[in-house]
Amino acid sequence: MLTTEEKHKIDHEISLVPSPKNACIEALKIVQNSHGWVSDESLKDVADYVGMSPAELDSVATFYNLIFRRPVGRHVVLVCDSISCWVMGYEGIRDRLYEKLNIKYGQTTEDGRFTLLPNCCLGTCDRAPALMIDNDLYRDLTVEQLDEILEKYT
Amino acid sequence: MEKPLTQHIVPGRAPLSLKEYEQVGGYQSVRKILKEMAPADVQNLVKASDLRGRGGAGFNTGLKWSFVPMGPEAAKPKYLVANADEMEPGTFKDRVLLEGNPHQLIEGMIIAAYAIDASISYIFMRWAYKVAAREIIKALEEAYEAGYLGENILGSGFSLDMHLHTGVGRYMCGEETALLNALEGKRANPRAKPPFPQVSGLFGKPTIVNNVETLCCLPHIINNGAEWFKGLSKTGDAGTKLYGISGRVKTPGCWELPMGTTIRELIEEHGGGMQDGYLFKGLLPGGASTDFLVEEHLDLPMDYTAIQAAGSRMGTGTMIILDDHTCPVGFVHNLQHFFAQESCGFCTPCREGLPWVEKILLAIDRGEGKPEHLLTLDFHTKYLGPGNTFCALAPGAMEPLQSALKYFREDFERHIHEHHCPWSKAKVWQPSI
Ligand SMILES: Cc1cc2nc3c(=O)[nH]c(=O)nc-3n(C[C@H](O)[C@H](O)[C@H](O)COP(=O)(O)O)c2cc1C
Ligand code: SF4
């Protein structure tokens, strides 16, 4: 069930576009913001609300890299795996994260704290290697910095 | 040396507030066009300035605008969209402009919207640019409050709304027709052209999509004229350019320099030369989807004309350096992994071809390559090339591959004959998962 607040926010997005369907990505973002991801149930609620079939909405939701259709941890770690970060040796960072969190890409730590995902170029190539945790960007990374960075996220 | 676009950008310092921006002449160009110029005058001035689109294709901006239907009969509302998706690997120049001087972009967008008589505008920005989003939101509020946006701007009768739209991550969102689909809440598949967006774009209405850097040139062209803009360049392509370098140089970064600055000057003076112990082997001049250039090209001016004549494209102007410690096969493999992942899947050659290319490169990289694999790669560079796919993603993906096969073919062959990667194991690109 969409909450009153979610409906209110979605209504605002709908008011900005010709047809409610046009606001569907914004609606998915709103739901993901409150739950961390978009469950089948949320997907169906949004689909009903904007007048789409769940299948049609899912075709949109699954197209985009950052609409999560599976649960994620409290914090999402996005590691840039594109060319400049690779040239600058990002694998050390990735391997240290694998080891430290004891998970691989696409997995979530058992305590639900972190989900680890690869991500394409973060647009900060002059300061590679780089990663993002939630809304925070870290660049010029070295393996030694990782422990301290991860500690900030509980 | 004049650096109009970055003159007020100081790394590490907050961007100018509206008041500070006005004190250094900000928004003067808006006052000028609203008072003295008709939309057609703005179009003609920009056409005469030879400004070419900084999004990669280098199309003349004024000419692009001239295809928008004008006059009272034209469909309304018309839209202007700033393309701030910047997901081309190796590219980080629009970030500098967005974070460093958001009012300059808004000012440029008002000019472009006025020139095509658009009443609604969007900044389509990738989700990852969190700082930029914060600064743009702040600047939009200030601009509305000061009356540069909204109804009846400065009493001129011209009205313009401007919204920030942040995407949810997909390289295809940068392709202008796919971007329009994303803005409409659809999958970011590209659209068939014609009709061109200038005639039927967002919600079926006339629309212009311009790159952030393109738009940021406009206030300066209005204030200083077409001849001044052309005079900024060292060559026949007008203006300054935001160039960037990433990879193993001493001081990677982004700099605004005269258009036509040579590659050698960029690498040696601005990038500080190669890091100690690393030798230059090649470079992609303007992002992942441009052809490699090598040693013999270092004295070329970085502009649209010269780089195209050398068989590549200037693209976004942000180059990626391949050094001698990095395996060229691994380098290209990394790029093809990106393109295969980001293919929208709409047309068969790209959807099926790119993963095939990626698999072959993985095999070669691992020492499992066969001589006939090179022929299969050659075949793909032809059949995923221009004219065979629905949009420019696949042909763009083939540019670094075809040129790597040309300049570094021996390295591919060595992998196959020696049954392993001649570079250190750590430099084998391994897509995880
Ligand atoms: C796959 C693909 C991705 C693109 N990504 C971007 C982008 O992130 N930013 C951009 O300005 N142009 C991008 N472009 C180019 C746009 O389609 C378009 O040409 C450009 O925004 C037009 O602006 P301009 O005329 O000012 O250069 C991309 C093109 C393709 C084919
Ligand atoms: S070339 Fe690739 S990205 Fe472009 S339409 Fe075809 S499948 Fe989609």
Side-chain angles (χ1 to χ4, degrees):
Chain A
M1 274 257 293
L2 298 172
T3 63
T4 320
E5 198 195 337
E6 285 166 350
K7 283 186 185 162
H8 186 73
K9 285 185 185 161
I10 297 173
D11 287 341
H12 172 71
E13 295 299 332
I14 289 176
S15 75
L16 298 173
V17 285
S19 145
K21 270 173 132 178
N22 299 129
C24 74
I25 297 175
E26 292 306 311
L28 290 168
K29 277 158 75 178
I30 289 164
V31 169
Q32 178 161 300
N33 249 336
S34 42
H35 300 276
W37 67 296
V38 179
S39 65
D40 287 351
E41 195 198 337
S42 298
L43 185 95
K44 192 175 171 307
D45 292 341
V46 172
D48 287 345
Y49 203 73
V50 300
M52 291 167 86
S53 73
E56 189 186 4
L57 183 62
D58 207 18
S59 80
V60 176
T62 54
F63 187 88
Y64 293 98
N65 298 336
L66 292 150
I67 296 292
F68 301 131
R69 287 286 284 114
R70 277 192 278 166
V72 291
R74 293 194 292 286
H75 306 287
V76 178
V77 184
L78 297 164
V79 184
C80 175
D81 69 353
S82 286
I83 190 65
S84 307
C85 282
W86 178 67
V87 168
M88 299 307 286
Y90 96 100
E91 303 96 316
I93 308 281
R94 175 197 62 199
D95 294 346
R96 177 73 187 125
L97 286 168
Y98 279 1
E99 191 183 290
K100 171 127 178 107
L101 302 177
N102 199 20
I103 50 172
K104 300 220 154 170
Y105 282 152
Q107 299 177 340
T108 300
T109 52
E110 241 166 60
D111 58 3
R113 189 164 154 221
F114 291 111
T115 295
L116 193 60
L117 293 171
N119 198 84
C120 44
C121 186
L122 291 169
T124 186
C125 320
D126 54 337
R127 302 187 57 186
L131 61 74
M132 277 180 87
I133 304 183
D134 303 336
N135 291 336
D136 309 324
L137 176 66
Y138 296 94
R139 33 195 177 180
D140 295 321
L141 273 174
T142 59
V143 174
E144 293 72 41
Q145 296 165 342
L146 286 175
D147 287 3
E148 205 185 312
I149 291 173
L150 291 176
E151 265 165 37
K152 292 192 217 166
Y153 300 87
T154 52
Chain B
M1 191 162 52
E2 284 184 277
K3 302 185 178 204
L5 275 68
T6 54
Q7 60 187 328
H8 302 301
I9 299 179
V10 183
R13 197 192 68 186
L16 299 182
S17 67
L18 179 87
K19 227 190 209 134
E20 291 163 336
Y21 186 61
E22 283 178 325
Q23 276 163 6
V24 294
Y27 289 101
Q28 280 306 327
S29 70
V30 169
R31 292 179 187 278
K32 181 168 171 181
I33 58 167
L34 293 180
K35 212 187 291 167
E36 298 169 15
M37 295 173 81
D41 299 332
V42 178
Q43 286 197 14
N44 288 335
L45 177 65
V46 172
K47 217 184 284 176
S49 78
D50 283 346
L51 171 63
R52 296 175 66 169
R54 306 296 198 232
F59 196 78
N60 181 297
T61 304
L63 189 62
K64 180 170 175 172
W65 294 350
S66 71
F67 302 119
V68 175
M70 297 294 284
E73 307 285 288
K76 288 214 161 83
K78 291 188 239 177
Y79 295 96
L80 171 80
V81 182
N83 190 341
D85 197 52
E86 192 157 73
M87 273 183 74
E88 179 78 20
T91 302
F92 50 98
K93 68 182 180 70
D94 295 336
R95 180 198 279 272
V96 173
L97 296 169
L98 290 160
E99 290 182 357
N101 195 352
H103 279 296
Q104 177 173 252
L105 173 65
I106 296 172
E107 183 176 0
M109 288 178 70
I110 299 171
I111 296 165
Y114 180 77
I116 60 164
D117 198 18
S119 56
I120 305 179
S121 56
Y122 289 95
I123 300 167
F124 188 100
M125 191 152 73
R126 66 176 299 192
W127 65 275
Y129 285 6
K130 304 289 181 189
V131 174
R134 204 175 61 216
E135 296 300 342
I136 291 278
I137 288 169
K138 214 191 294 172
L140 283 174
E141 275 171 18
E142 288 181 320
Y144 264 106
E145 208 165 300
Y148 290 121
L149 290 173
E151 290 288 308
N152 190 16
I153 296 171
L154 306 176
S156 65
F158 175 65
S159 301
L160 177 67
D161 273 318
M162 195 175 288
H163 310 284
L164 172 68
H165 180 100
T166 46
V168 267
R170 203 66 203 257
Y171 175 54
M172 274 309 293
C173 294
E175 197 280 338
E176 62 181 24
T177 60
L179 183 156
L180 298 177
N181 278 337
L183 263 181
E184 290 184 11
K186 299 174 181 158
R187 290 166 68 93
N189 294 120
R191 295 178 178 176
K193 294 187 268 192
F196 287 89
Q198 287 100 318
V199 178
S200 176
L202 190 60
F203 303 119
K205 298 288 195 273
T207 304
I208 284 287
V209 180
N210 273 136
N211 171 258
V212 167
E213 187 184 349
T214 312
L215 292 161
C216 289
C217 291
L218 297 173
H220 309 287
I221 294 173
I222 298 291
N223 289 334
N224 302 302
E227 290 311 311
W228 168 86
F229 189 70
K230 288 190 212 169
L232 293 172
S233 164
K234 291 186 171 175
T235 58
D237 292 339
T240 58
K241 180 78 192 77
L242 264 73
Y243 294 111
I245 305 185
S246 63
R248 295 271 177 201
V249 293
K250 287 198 182 106
T251 52
C254 177
W255 313 275
E256 183 182 12
L257 294 165
M259 180 73 83
T261 301
T262 66
I263 299 174
R264 191 182 298 280
E265 181 186 330
L266 282 164
I267 296 178
E268 290 187 355
E269 286 182 31
H270 304 281
M274 295 299 291
Q275 286 181 7
D276 295 334
Y278 289 86
L279 294 176
F280 171 86
K281 189 169 168 85
L283 65 86
L284 302 179
S289 49
T290 57
D291 282 273
F292 276 98
L293 296 177
V294 292
E295 189 86 33
E296 69 192 70
H297 301 116
L298 288 181
D299 289 309
L300 288 178
M302 270 284 274
D303 71 9
Y304 297 101
T305 312
I307 301 299
Q308 188 155 6
S312 184
R313 288 187 306 120
M314 184 169 73
T316 61
T318 40
M319 45 205 219
I320 312 160
I321 308 279
L322 169 67
D323 61 77
D324 65 334
H325 290 234
T326 301
C327 169
V329 175
F331 193 102
V332 177
H333 183 196
N334 176 290
L335 300 175
Q336 300 306 323
H337 170 74
F338 165 80
F339 288 118
Q341 174 184 295
E342 294 300 316
S343 161
C344 81
F346 183 82
C347 64
T348 312
C350 173
R351 181 185 62 237
E352 305 297 325
L354 290 175
W356 190 0
V357 165
E358 189 192 346
K359 269 190 201 142
I360 292 175
L361 290 168
L362 175 65
I364 297 176
D365 226 352
R366 279 187 178 153
E368 294 159 9
K370 304 200 174 78
E372 57 269 27
H373 279 158
L374 292 185
L375 301 178
T376 313
L377 292 178
D378 289 336
F379 164 96
H380 277 89
T381 62
K382 205 157 119 206
Y383 288 107
L384 297 190
N388 294 319
T389 58
F390 194 61
C391 88
L393 182 138
M398 291 303 101
E399 291 181 24
L401 177 62
Q402 72 194 8
S403 46
L405 286 165
K406 175 173 158 194
Y407 294 120
F408 312 124
R409 202 169 187 96
E410 273 175 28
D411 295 321
F412 282 76
E413 287 166 351
R414 270 185 72 196
H415 280 77
I416 294 171
H417 296 143
E418 298 174 14
H419 303 291
H420 73 99
C421 173
W423 277 264
S424 71
K425 247 198 140 118
K427 295 312 283 178
V428 177
W429 158 250
Q430 293 171 320
S432 315
I433 305 189

